Amino acid sequence: MELNGVKEYVLPSTTDVLIVGAGPTGLVLAIDLARRGVPALLVEKADRLFPGSRGKGVQPRTLEVFDDLGLIDAVQRAGRDYPRMLSWEGPDGTERGAEWDMIERSEPTEGEPYANALLIGQSRLQEVLHAHLRALGGDVVFGCEATGLTQDAEGVTASFADGRTVRARHVVAADGGRSGIRRALGIAMEGEAVDPKPMLVADLLLTPDVIVDDRNWHVWRGGSGGGAVLCPLPGEAGLFQLIIQFDDENTVPDTDEEGVVAHLTSLTPIAARQVTTVVWASDFRPRAALATRYRDGRVLLAGDAAHIHSPAGGQGLNTGVQDAYNLGWKLERVLRHGAPAALLDTYEQERLPVAAAVLGLSTRLHRHALLTRNSQRGGETRQLALGYRGGPLATGRAGALEAGDRAPDGPLPRGRIFDLLRGPHFTLLAVDTPAPALASPQVHVHELGAYEAYGRGLFLVRPDGYLGWAGEDATGLHDYLASLGVPQLP
């Protein structure tokens, strides 16, 4: 209901899934559950969505996730291509120097339609996700801080700071790197300091007469006290993300507006009067850490609550979104279709090794050449090669693919393969071979002509776009589907 134009939220007493934290991970999970008809409650202790651009890169694999969720057009409209880096030189930092690409550019292919990362500030991405969630009938309950959890065999009782409680069948902690739920569960984070030098990140609004423009990502290296970069952000004229790394390990960055401006003016030729607003600021020391486990009974960790990354390579936000995408369909199978609860164990079994590999990549990129022309990010950051081969839900191989691989896109006489996959269902692709008899409302069956990216065979695509099962004939297919609670009509 609304009171004096302000929406008031009434917490339900029960829900199937309670999601704590309305960052990109929590929002994507809420969207996925909403389209599946799974009752979910998304709560956020702050009084609004996060206002800054802590993360700002959406990788190609995440763009494929947004394609499946029906979000790709809105996300692409809100973002832009990454600009080229520009080094500013000279004694006062006002001479234009060399330009280079931070990100290795790729061309789209039939199998990989989204070739390059999209630049979009986290706050702007969250606005797009929130709008989509509301269009599906969901929302975020703001100002709702979870303070405690009590589990039993049937569910979880969550307590909130205002004294209210909610009973949920499962809880997902997407409440960030300092996750209160993770700490309450006693789940440790193991990792290391990536770099002892402190960093500052902030979003700034600059005046039109400033030396920088929105055509480049601007770099000042080797100044007195550290280096600075300013990256233009889409959505508002004059909006930039500032990142500073200080040379002195003992520096304590000042995140107040005056302090941020002072840091900026000490390292760049930008004048204090040219900063109209410091939208948001934070300081940190780059760290890589991974939760020792992702599940405690009916509570699961996702996003930064499970893994903390260096910002290098733009991997953290994307890994969290893909955590949610992996988890959503599994929660539905257990909650609505009678799949065994052990299916939720495969979430950790699949996602924890991926996060470990991504953490290693982020750390290598950070240490290799921060703020230098040698820090170009290659194809490994696009996350298209990540998969679940050899995992607990990967059975068989056929043609050019093995179970666990990402399902490639491709052209069809009408549309493309991703059009067939879009939605919450399983998809059986019979490529250059007849489709078997399969009567299940939850599996869409399509016969396709020869296509090299797949080769000849049968390919069962999970709801998250990875092959769960593959074979030259249907031997074992029905048993595989039955293990996931997929009904098959006689």
Side-chain angles (χ1 to χ4, degrees):
M1 65 178 182
E2 290 194 4
L3 183 63
N4 297 325
V6 178
K7 187 170 184 178
E8 288 196 345
Y9 300 96
V10 178
L11 280 183
S13 59
T14 62
T15 189
D16 275 1
V17 182
L18 172 64
I19 307 166
V20 181
T25 301
L27 286 163
V28 167
L29 181 58
I31 288 168
D32 197 21
L33 293 176
R35 71 170 179 159
R36 297 175 181 282
V38 177
L41 173 65
L42 175 56
V43 300
E44 168 59 50
K45 71 176 181 180
D47 61 0
R48 57 174 176 160
L49 296 173
F50 175 69
S53 62
R54 181 181 290 118
K56 63 179 184 298
V58 177
Q59 300 294 345
R61 178 55 188 156
T62 305
L63 292 174
E64 294 181 351
V65 173
F66 291 152
D67 184 315
D68 178 58
L69 295 175
L71 280 158
I72 188 62
D73 291 341
V75 170
Q76 288 183 320
R77 284 195 301 269
R80 58 165 290 182
D81 291 338
Y82 265 82
R84 301 195 79 203
M85 309 294 291
L86 170 65
S87 176
W88 289 90
E89 312 290 351
D92 57 358
T94 59
E95 298 176 12
R96 294 177 69 93
E99 291 191 21
W100 71 99
D101 283 319
M102 168 70 82
I103 298 171
E104 183 179 291
R105 310 282 176 169
S106 300
E107 292 297 324
T109 66
E110 289 183 345
E112 299 177 353
Y114 306 108
N116 297 301
L118 186 76
L119 175 65
I120 178 173
Q122 180 175 328
S123 60
R124 188 163 171 80
L125 175 61
Q126 288 176 166
E127 290 170 0
V128 173
L129 296 173
H130 188 207
H132 194 68
L133 176 61
R134 297 187 72 176
L136 293 172
D139 212 333
V140 181
V141 182
F142 292 102
C144 194
E145 182 180 0
T147 56
L149 298 175
T150 303
Q151 295 194 61
D152 56 46
E154 302 300 323
V156 185
T157 300
S159 304
F160 296 90
D162 60 6
R164 292 180 290 180
T165 62
V166 170
R167 181 74 172 169
R169 295 173 70 183
H170 292 279
V171 173
V172 178
D175 51 342
R178 298 187 175 112
S179 171
I181 291 179
R182 186 191 65 233
R183 293 198 300 269
L185 295 172
I187 297 176
M189 292 286 279
E190 295 182 349
E192 60 179 332
V194 174
D195 193 327
K197 296 178 181 178
M199 299 184 73
L200 180 143
V201 60
D203 290 352
L204 313 171
L205 282 169
L206 304 179
T207 58
D209 65 338
V210 75
I211 190 173
V212 297
D213 54 47
D214 65 0
R215 295 187 300 275
N216 288 101
W217 188 345
H218 306 272
V219 181
W220 288 267
R221 297 189 296 266
S224 176
V229 296
L230 277 170
C231 183
L233 296 173
E236 187 171 357
L239 181 63
F240 288 81
Q241 183 199 59
L242 168 69
I243 297 179
I244 294 174
Q245 180 158 41
F246 300 92
D247 289 339
D248 187 350
E249 296 179 12
N250 297 315
T251 298
V252 179
D254 188 344
T255 57
D256 291 339
E257 182 161 345
E258 290 184 358
V260 171
V261 173
H263 290 313
L264 174 70
T265 58
S266 71
L267 295 170
T268 76
I270 295 171
R273 66 168 184 81
Q274 293 175 311
V275 181
T276 62
T277 307
V278 176
V279 178
W280 165 87
S282 179
D283 68 304
F284 65 99
R285 294 175 190 262
R287 183 169 177 251
L290 184 64
T292 54
R293 51 196 169 97
Y294 279 20
R295 184 182 182 191
D296 185 300
R298 291 178 172 266
V299 184
L300 302 111
L301 307 182
D304 288 354
H307 41 80
I308 301 170
H309 303 249
S310 159
Q315 302 292 287
L317 182 154
N318 294 272
T319 304
V321 165
Q322 292 169 49
D323 287 345
Y325 193 53
N326 180 285
L327 182 57
W329 72 272
K330 295 174 180 178
L331 284 167
E332 182 201 15
R333 302 303 323 160
V334 171
L335 292 170
R336 300 193 66 198
H337 300 294
L343 179 61
L344 296 179
D345 289 333
T346 70
Y347 166 65
E348 174 183 314
Q349 292 163 0
E350 291 186 334
R351 294 304 299 167
L352 193 150
V354 167
V358 171
L359 283 170
L361 171 63
S362 299
T363 300
R364 290 194 303 273
L365 287 172
H366 185 104
R367 290 174 173 167
H368 177 59
L370 185 68
L371 299 178
T372 76
R373 273 176 260 176
N374 295 322
S375 58
Q376 188 181 64
R377 302 165 187 173
E380 69 272 22
T381 63
R382 302 190 303 154
Q383 300 199 344
L384 291 171
L386 297 177
Y388 307 123
R389 281 191 179 190
L393 299 180
T395 301
R397 67 172 301 137
L401 299 174
E402 183 174 332
D405 291 347
R406 163 191 164 274
D409 195 13
L412 300 173
R414 292 185 179 181
R416 56 196 183 110
I417 291 176
F418 277 3
D419 296 331
L420 306 180
L421 306 184
R422 191 176 300 113
H425 53 270
F426 289 81
T427 308
L428 180 65
L429 301 178
V431 183
D432 197 25
T433 192
L438 183 65
S440 174
Q442 296 173 17
V443 183
H444 295 190
V445 181
H446 302 277
E447 290 187 350
L448 309 182
Y451 180 34
E452 184 178 358
Y454 281 79
R456 188 176 188 276
L458 302 173
F459 305 91
L460 181 71
V461 184
R462 305 176 349 176
D464 60 353
Y466 292 91
L467 300 184
W469 175 95
E472 296 179 359
D473 57 46
T475 304
L477 172 59
H478 291 77
D479 289 342
Y480 182 88
L481 290 169
S483 71
L484 298 176
V486 178
Q488 297 164 74
L489 303 179

